[in-house]
Amino acid sequence: MKFNSQAAVAELEYNAERNHLLIPEYGRHLQKLIDHVVKIESREERNKAAHYVIAIMGNLNPHLRDVPDFQHKLWDQLFMMSDFRLDVDSPYPVASKETVTTKPEHLDYPQNFPKYRFYGNNIKYMIDEANKWDDGEMKDALIMVIANHMKKSYLSWNKDTVKDEVIFEHLLELSKGKINLLKTAEELSTTSDLIRVNKKQSNKTVHTNTPTKPKPKFVKSNNPVNKTKKA
């Protein structure tokens, strides 16, 4: 039989002429197999073929075997790759095009625009919580913790010293006049101590994120060329 090059070229398939792959990760051959299963007339044979395809898909994703609802995900992908034309008995609720293509509802994200952003939103939450407490030693201790944390946050963004009065004024403003430390005799932590704490925390972050390089291993050479001859 003589080889006909023109006939062979005519039988070639180009990606531009092929059908679109709905899930490209599984490849062209599995897509063709699913298209063949859809055309099987016998429902019993079609069910057997569908379970066979599910087994192949599971072997292609061994890293997902420990994921919950792994089989359910495979069946959903099977129906998606068949363009929801596959009519088989699924052990899970049959997915439809509407349920798959429906976009989730918009999740509202709380937008806060504080005046002093370097303090963060958590400081405002802590101040509001402190305002709910009854007067006493516990509340006074909490207020001092908040004030010290405000000073540390201020110094982490402004690499300079700051007076306690500035922090007290900001605290008075953020608490809407309910927390006033301007006349208190207590002092906050010193600027040097807070800067030292910030440096320690930043160094820990750098060392944690920086991968350590393995030390080179020196192998003792047995090459006689490197050995010096005795006279």
Side-chain angles (χ1 to χ4, degrees), residues 85-107:
R85 295 178 290 111
L86 183 61
D87 184 15
V88 293
D89 299 328
S90 172
Y92 304 97
V94 179
S96 61
K97 184 177 293 186
E98 290 75 16
T99 58
V100 174
T101 57
T102 301
K103 295 183 179 180
E105 296 181 359
H106 179 70
L107 181 62

Side-chain angles (χ1 to χ4, degrees), residues 67-121:
V67 177
D69 298 332
F70 171 69
Q71 291 290 328
H72 193 177
K73 180 178 180 180
L74 292 182
W75 279 96
D76 289 345
Q77 291 178 342
L78 175 61
F79 288 112
M80 291 173 60
M81 294 178 68
S82 67
D83 198 16
F84 304 97
R85 295 178 290 111
L86 183 61
D87 184 15
V88 293
D89 299 328
S90 172
Y92 304 97
V94 179
S96 61
K97 184 177 293 186
E98 290 75 16
T99 58
V100 174
T101 57
T102 301
K103 295 183 179 180
E105 296 181 359
H106 179 70
L107 181 62
D108 293 332
Y109 190 82
Q111 297 291 339
N112 295 323
F113 302 97
K115 182 177 180 180
Y116 307 107
R117 294 191 177 186
F118 45 84
Y119 290 136
N121 293 325

Side-chain angles (χ1 to χ4, degrees), residues 184-224:
T184 184
E186 297 189 31
E187 296 181 355
L188 300 178
S189 300
T190 62
T191 300
S192 58
D193 292 340
L194 293 175
I195 292 178
R196 191 181 303 112
V197 172
N198 289 338
K199 286 184 178 180
K200 287 183 179 179
Q201 293 178 350
S202 62
N203 290 336
K204 287 182 180 179
T205 304
V206 170
H207 291 312
T208 304
N209 297 332
T210 303
T212 57
K213 295 183 179 179
K215 295 182 179 180
K217 296 182 180 180
F218 296 95
V219 180
K220 187 177 180 180
S221 176
N222 294 324
N223 191 351

Side-chain angles (χ1 to χ4, degrees), residues 24 64 92 101 138 179:
L64 295 177
Y92 304 97
T101 57
M138 293 292 294
I179 300 177

